Amino acid sequence: MHVRAGASHHTNKYDEDLIQLAKIASISSLPEHNTDIQRAAEWLFTRLKDAELEDVQILQTKGQPAVYGQWLHATGAPTVLIYGHYDVQPVDPLDLWTSPPFEPTVSRTGKGQEYFRGRGVSDDKGGLLQPVHAVEAYLKGRKALPVNVKFLIEGQEEIGSPNLAELLVEHKELLAADMALSADGGQISEKQAGIVLGLRGGVAFEVEAQTVGQDLHSGLKGGSVQNPVHALAQFVADLHAPNGSVAVDGFYEGVREITAEDRADAAAFPFDEAAEMESLGALGPHGEEGFSTLERRWLRPTLEVVGIYGGFSGVGIKTIVPAKATAKISCRLVPDQDPDHVMSALRRHVETHAPPQTRLKFLPLPFRAHPYIMPRHTVANRAAAKVLKEVFGAPTLFYREGWTIPFFDLCASHLGIQPISFGFGLPTDGIHSANERFRVSMYDKGREAWIRMLQEIANQAAKPSASS
Amino acid sequence: MHVRAGASHHTNKYDEDLIQLAKIASISSLPEHNTDIQRAAEWLFTRLKDAELEDVQILQTKGQPAVYGQWLHATGAPTVLIYGHYDVQPVDPLDLWTSPPFEPTVSRTGKGQEYFRGRGVSDDKGGLLQPVHAVEAYLKGRKALPVNVKFLIEGQEEIGSPNLAELLVEHKELLAADMALSADGGQISEKQAGIVLGLRGGVAFEVEAQTVGQDLHSGLKGGSVQNPVHALAQFVADLHAPNGSVAVDGFYEGVREITAEDRADAAAFPFDEAAEMESLGALGPHGEEGFSTLERRWLRPTLEVVGIYGGFSGVGIKTIVPAKATAKISCRLVPDQDPDHVMSALRRHVETHAPPQTRLKFLPLPFRAHPYIMPRHTVANRAAAKVLKEVFGAPTLFYREGWTIPFFDLCASHLGIQPISFGFGLPTDGIHSANERFRVSMYDKGREAWIRMLQEIANQAAKPSASS
């Protein structure tokens, strides 16, 4: 058990790595952070080399680069492609953070409930470091890995991986593998592991309502011309039917019926709805009628305004009729909705549903992912179920997730491999929110699970019955 | 005609005054401009002294100060209180300005269509300088004025004059007068003068919708909790009935029936609706059914969202369910609505109309004015009608305005004088908007009108039939 000893001896180095990487403000959606994105990629380049990975390189794209590294000397064993992303979400509203988002901290007092704190510590900088550390433990301990590995760590996941498809196609041979594991993902709780069988896809767009050429004096003109905020509010209000469904023609085209197995997975999932609502600060659940909260999150497509703005937002009041108002809208898609068809339906809706005396403009936003669904029974899933059961001490559940990782579908489409999620974030990590955190115990448990997983994949693949 | 010669000789000095004053960014709604507000008050203090006004002083309030000056040596003649304001509106969105708002310019090429350009050149820095220059021309030319004058130039008009009532009460004797003229106001066109018989009042408030404790990941939670932007959009959409009326119980309490005389004034007013809509960049008129555009602006109360914001407003997309969203709302009121009653009705509406799973918060904003209405036949109106007819070369019309100048009602309530508007802005000045401008010809014509008006008031008051 040389490998596991190696892991525990280097605890401080592991923490230092995450602190160092989380200090880099690699926000992919904000151009002013381009330099930070570059710094993060360079940091990983150096780190993968230090971990004794080979052929380490920075793969350029039309946007931000990805970082690659490999170790391919496990003759006869499967090749595992390991995915992660080094970019992070923006941090506004900054005033909600109790400590600066890019001055990450960690406590290890041994008293439990210990966290890394800072933007990206969970999503996905903590996640991507776990397999790096696991691989390093093998390579510096046993001088060998039980399987072949290839790392692909990209820099545009938080903006929907707009250049990932092209990158996978361009480097198809370099990235060829037998299976793929995503280090971007989470577990159900600290005590309950699960395997994600499906993810929602997504599209996003912006709708701008304009009614007059420029802001007008509300006393002079108020009440006699259309107000773009009123118009946009009406448009947004009408995007949902009274039963909570999305009121856009063609939006639900291709949505699969929910199966008995889907419902059973949702029902078996440990979920205390009242406690969840309390922890979110919500008065209660809300959504499409006829579906449970988990079904709404996993199995149903949604349409959400992620931001709205128009007119005066300063302190006090400015007595104007604004010239325009804008809503940014994100949709989550489920199998077998097609992002392009949905975008066409949305565009058509915007073009044909302008409120009176209003010009509506449709602008696609850079977020586009197919929904993803995978079979239950694969070598990777068998290995993962076994390892997670050992590490978590409870049977591994199968479930679906509501979020979107474009890699899953793109990897399946362009490399012919259906990835599984093997991440260790928790639902309470506050990813994409203020005060993002990552449990120290999950950081350690995940590294341990990755170490076991690389061995277990080799074991499962060696069985006569193995099929990917 | 010593006085008029004096006026034309000093043309450049008049322009310089407006340029100097308009350079000061005296935005009353933004605390970071407090120093500029002070600078503007001090500039006026010096300028009134230079104009040979007496007892010039800065009147402190709980907010920004007002500037006072007088000349009271016209024994037996009426005393005229002249009102203006030196504060200005904010300038955002800055990118719409074709020249920096606080680097004012003027052209005098003699080719017509010449403008002062900059924030406040029309509203109300150009306006308030006209009577100062008129009085100065008398005092430096004839060494006397035909009437007694008192200037009151305040610094919080653009935020609804929150301290003006207290100031009028505190300085009731100092400000006592026979009539009051507001230098904050406008004319119908360069060729058509009018006398405003009524103004709308106003109130403003903010409504904040919150559904969860902080921004959530739209993939993780989207579709299962209420989105505050959806909730606020529904709330805003429901603020108006399908016929365009305000759907708030009690909102219309006290609204006077429109009279035949009101309708006749509106119908007689020179107004090309199609040309107006084109110049505003509007697809067409929009508002409460059953009323014409002018009736909507002058005679009907309105409710307008002046700004909305919530969630992500940066470049691209952030896949969140926002925690909250806010709308700033301004209402215009007509006789005999009571601002306090309307605010109570609005608060009750917010408190009882929360969308599902939504907390709505009501916050009053600092804008509160009674609507104002005055009789047609007064000494001041007779003098104004005669002077304006002479200066504009066309009969003077009576009409109403949609905007709000709190001074009018406060002066009537607290000093017992019903002011009239004697300003020279044009509807095309773009006040409260980007690229505010003031016609050079109106700047000159207004000064000429003020010079004549001060004399005409003395003439009218001396007539046996005079009654204020």
Side-chain angles (χ1 to χ4, degrees):
Chain A
M1 294 277 84
H2 191 144
V3 166
R4 292 172 67 195
S8 62
H9 280 165
H10 290 83
T11 299
N12 286 338
K13 177 159 176 33
Y14 299 141
D15 291 3
E16 269 165 37
D17 274 346
L18 181 48
I19 295 292
Q20 270 190 34
L21 182 54
K23 269 183 189 162
I24 306 174
S26 46
I27 302 171
S28 49
S29 64
L30 303 174
E32 60 266 35
H33 287 281
N34 276 351
T35 313
D36 296 317
I37 284 274
Q38 294 296 332
R39 281 172 54 219
E42 283 156 21
W43 188 93
L44 279 169
F45 174 83
T46 305
R47 190 65 192 80
L48 294 194
K49 278 183 164 258
D50 288 350
E52 303 195 359
L53 283 156
E54 298 171 357
D55 197 18
V56 177
Q57 51 185 299
I58 291 185
L59 305 179
Q60 298 299 337
T61 74
K62 279 181 187 157
Q64 308 298 4
V67 185
Y68 175 86
Q70 66 180 35
W71 190 92
L72 303 178
H73 306 296
T75 316
T79 299
V80 180
L81 177 63
I82 299 172
Y83 168 85
H85 65 88
Y86 65 83
D87 64 317
V88 299
Q89 281 278 321
V91 296
D92 52 299
L94 197 56
D95 58 338
L96 293 182
W97 287 77
T98 55
S99 66
F102 294 110
E103 296 175 22
T105 60
V106 62
S107 64
R108 275 197 188 266
T109 59
K111 291 180 185 152
Q113 297 280 332
E114 297 167 318
Y115 292 103
F116 291 88
R117 294 178 186 277
R119 171 56 85 228
V121 292
S122 172
D123 183 15
D124 173 40
K125 289 173 173 175
L128 74 86
L129 283 172
Q130 290 169 325
V132 173
H133 290 150
V135 164
E136 184 177 43
Y138 277 106
L139 292 179
K140 292 193 172 163
R142 293 189 188 168
K143 311 293 178 197
L145 280 163
V147 291
N148 302 296
V149 302
K150 296 179 174 183
F151 276 92
L152 177 67
I153 305 174
E154 71 147 327
Q156 298 194 293
E157 197 277 337
E158 298 294 1
I159 54 169
S161 304
N163 297 292
L164 186 57
E166 206 169 328
L167 182 140
L168 297 182
V169 170
E170 188 182 341
H171 300 285
K172 192 168 176 165
E173 285 182 35
L174 183 71
L175 299 169
D178 299 299
M179 59 192 74
L181 304 182
S182 169
D184 186 22
Q187 296 298 339
I188 298 165
S189 74
E190 203 174 353
K191 297 200 156 66
Q192 180 62 60
I195 290 173
V196 177
L197 294 177
L199 299 173
R200 290 196 288 190
V203 293
F205 68 103
E206 193 174 288
V207 56
E208 182 191 276
Q210 178 152 20
T211 58
V212 287
Q214 62 171 308
D215 292 358
L216 304 176
H217 188 296
S218 72
L220 285 172
K221 314 294 182 189
S224 72
V225 290
Q226 176 65 288
N227 179 318
V229 180
H230 302 183
L232 186 63
Q234 191 62 62
F235 178 83
V236 167
D238 292 345
L239 283 170
H240 288 88
N243 70 357
S245 65
V246 177
V248 172
D249 269 359
F251 183 79
Y252 289 98
E253 194 186 306
V255 171
R256 283 193 201 181
E257 284 294 310
I258 295 182
T259 65
E261 204 169 28
D262 293 333
R263 293 219 186 242
D265 284 344
F269 193 85
F271 182 64
D272 178 340
E273 185 170 88
E276 160 87 349
M277 291 301 147
E278 197 185 329
S279 86
L280 297 179
L283 292 174
H286 185 78
E288 198 183 359
E289 278 173 21
F291 301 94
S292 73
T293 290
L294 291 184
E295 288 166 0
R296 287 167 176 166
R297 291 180 183 175
W298 297 354
L299 308 174
R300 295 296 295 172
T302 63
L303 179 153
E304 299 272 348
V305 179
V306 304
I308 194 166
Y309 52 97
F312 182 69
S313 62
V315 174
I317 182 81
K318 187 181 173 191
T319 51
I320 53 166
V321 176
K324 53 189 177 183
T326 304
K328 287 173 181 272
I329 297 173
S330 155
C331 298
R332 299 285 169 170
L333 310 181
V334 299
D336 298 307
Q337 282 177 298
D338 179 272
D340 296 333
H341 288 182
V342 171
M343 279 297 265
S344 298
L346 292 164
R347 181 190 290 273
R348 215 161 38 234
H349 185 83
V350 169
E351 286 170 356
T352 54
H353 285 73
Q357 314 296 12
T358 306
R359 295 172 189 88
L360 286 190
K361 206 155 77 183
F362 178 91
L363 182 75
L365 291 178
F367 173 53
R368 179 185 175 281
H370 279 85
Y372 178 72
I373 191 157
M374 71 176 303
R376 235 162 250 253
H377 305 293
T378 64
V379 168
N381 278 353
R382 272 203 306 276
K386 183 161 185 287
V387 166
L388 293 172
K389 187 179 173 191
E390 287 166 15
V391 173
F392 283 75
T396 305
L397 297 177
F398 287 89
Y399 69 115
R400 302 265 283 268
E401 272 289 11
W403 56 15
T404 302
I405 302 176
F407 172 72
F408 281 73
D409 170 69
L410 295 177
C411 182
S413 303
H414 297 295
L415 301 184
I417 321 165
Q418 284 199 295
I420 73 164
S421 174
F422 202 72
F424 296 89
L426 289 180
T428 50
D429 284 352
I431 67 168
H432 294 215
S433 297
N435 303 317
E436 180 174 346
R437 56 195 179 273
F438 192 28
R439 271 281 177 87
V440 165
S441 57
M442 291 300 283
Y443 190 50
D444 296 341
K445 200 180 270 190
R447 189 185 320 118
E448 173 70 22
W450 273 100
I451 289 170
R452 288 174 181 251
M453 181 67 173
L454 295 175
Q455 181 62 57
E456 188 58 33
I457 290 170
N459 298 351
Q460 291 284 338
K463 287 188 183 173
S465 65
S467 85
S468 66
Chain B
M1 294 274 83
H2 192 144
V3 165
R4 292 173 65 195
S8 63
H9 280 165
H10 290 82
T11 300
N12 285 339
K13 179 160 175 34
Y14 299 142
D15 291 3
E16 270 164 38
D17 275 347
L18 180 48
I19 295 292
Q20 270 189 37
L21 182 54
K23 270 184 189 162
I24 306 174
S26 47
I27 302 172
S28 48
S29 64
L30 302 175
E32 61 265 35
H33 287 281
N34 276 352
T35 313
D36 297 316
I37 284 275
Q38 294 297 330
R39 281 173 54 220
E42 283 156 22
W43 188 94
L44 279 169
F45 174 83
T46 305
R47 191 65 192 81
L48 293 194
K49 280 185 163 254
D50 288 349
E52 302 193 0
L53 284 156
E54 298 170 358
D55 196 17
V56 176
Q57 51 186 298
I58 290 186
L59 304 179
Q60 297 299 338
T61 73
K62 281 183 188 155
Q64 307 298 2
V67 185
Y68 175 85
Q70 66 182 33
W71 190 93
L72 303 177
H73 306 295
T75 316
T79 299
V80 181
L81 177 64
I82 300 172
Y83 168 84
H85 67 88
Y86 65 81
D87 64 319
V88 299
Q89 282 279 318
V91 296
D92 54 299
L94 197 56
D95 59 338
L96 292 183
W97 287 78
T98 54
S99 65
F102 294 110
E103 296 176 20
T105 60
V106 61
S107 66
R108 274 196 188 266
T109 58
K111 290 181 187 155
Q113 299 281 332
E114 297 167 319
Y115 292 104
F116 291 89
R117 294 177 186 277
R119 169 57 85 227
V121 292
S122 172
D123 182 17
D124 173 43
K125 288 173 174 176
L128 74 86
L129 284 172
Q130 290 169 327
V132 173
H133 290 149
V135 163
E136 183 177 44
Y138 277 107
L139 292 178
K140 292 194 171 162
R142 294 188 188 168
K143 312 292 178 195
L145 279 163
V147 291
N148 302 295
V149 300
K150 295 179 174 183
F151 275 91
L152 177 67
I153 305 173
E154 71 147 324
Q156 298 193 292
E157 196 276 336
E158 298 295 0
I159 54 169
S161 303
N163 297 292
L164 186 57
E166 206 169 329
L167 182 140
L168 296 182
V169 170
E170 187 182 343
H171 301 283
K172 192 170 174 159
E173 286 183 35
L174 183 71
L175 298 171
D178 299 297
M179 59 193 75
L181 303 183
S182 169
D184 186 21
Q187 297 298 338
I188 298 165
S189 74
E190 204 174 351
K191 298 201 154 68
Q192 179 62 60
I195 290 173
V196 177
L197 293 176
L199 298 173
R200 290 196 289 190
V203 292
F205 67 104
E206 192 174 289
V207 57
E208 180 190 277
Q210 179 152 20
T211 57
V212 287
Q214 63 170 309
D215 293 356
L216 305 176
H217 187 297
S218 72
L220 284 173
K221 314 295 181 189
S224 71
V225 290
Q226 175 66 287
N227 180 317
V229 179
H230 302 183
L232 186 63
Q234 190 64 62
F235 178 82
V236 167
D238 291 345
L239 283 170
H240 289 89
N243 70 357
S245 65
V246 177
V248 172
D249 268 1
F251 183 80
Y252 289 99
E253 194 187 305
V255 171
R256 284 193 199 179
E257 285 293 311
I258 296 181
T259 65
E261 205 170 29
D262 292 334
R263 293 220 186 238
D265 282 345
F269 194 84
F271 182 63
D272 179 340
E273 185 170 87
E276 161 88 348
M277 292 300 148
E278 197 185 329
S279 86
L280 298 179
L283 291 174
H286 186 78
E288 198 183 0
E289 278 173 22
F291 300 95
S292 73
T293 290
L294 292 183
E295 288 167 1
R296 287 167 177 167
R297 291 181 183 174
W298 298 353
L299 308 173
R300 294 297 293 171
T302 63
L303 179 152
E304 299 273 349
V305 179
V306 304
I308 193 165
Y309 53 96
F312 182 70
S313 62
V315 174
I317 182 82
K318 188 181 174 192
T319 51
I320 54 168
V321 177
K324 54 189 176 183
T326 304
K328 287 173 180 273
I329 297 174
S330 157
C331 298
R332 299 286 169 168
L333 310 181
V334 299
D336 296 309
Q337 282 177 298
D338 179 89
D340 295 333
H341 287 183
V342 171
M343 278 298 265
S344 298
L346 291 165
R347 181 190 291 273
R348 215 160 40 234
H349 185 82
V350 170
E351 286 170 356
T352 54
H353 285 73
Q357 314 296 13
T358 306
R359 297 172 187 88
L360 285 191
K361 207 157 79 184
F362 178 90
L363 181 76
L365 290 178
F367 173 53
R368 179 184 175 282
H370 279 83
Y372 178 72
I373 191 157
M374 70 176 302
R376 235 163 252 253
H377 306 294
T378 64
V379 168
N381 279 352
R382 272 204 304 278
K386 184 160 182 288
V387 166
L388 293 172
K389 187 179 171 188
E390 287 166 14
V391 173
F392 283 76
T396 305
L397 298 177
F398 288 90
Y399 69 115
R400 301 263 284 269
E401 271 291 11
W403 58 13
T404 302
I405 302 176
F407 172 73
F408 281 73
D409 169 70
L410 295 177
C411 182
S413 303
H414 298 293
L415 301 183
I417 322 165
Q418 285 197 294
I420 72 163
S421 174
F422 203 71
F424 296 88
L426 291 181
T428 49
D429 283 353
I431 67 169
H432 294 215
S433 298
N435 302 317
E436 180 174 346
R437 55 195 179 273
F438 192 29
R439 269 281 178 88
V440 164
S441 57
M442 292 300 284
Y443 190 51
D444 297 341
K445 200 180 270 188
R447 187 185 322 118
E448 173 69 24
W450 273 100
I451 289 170
R452 288 172 181 250
M453 181 67 174
L454 295 175
Q455 181 62 57
E456 188 58 32
I457 289 169
N459 299 350
Q460 292 283 339
K463 287 187 183 173
S465 66
S467 85
S468 67

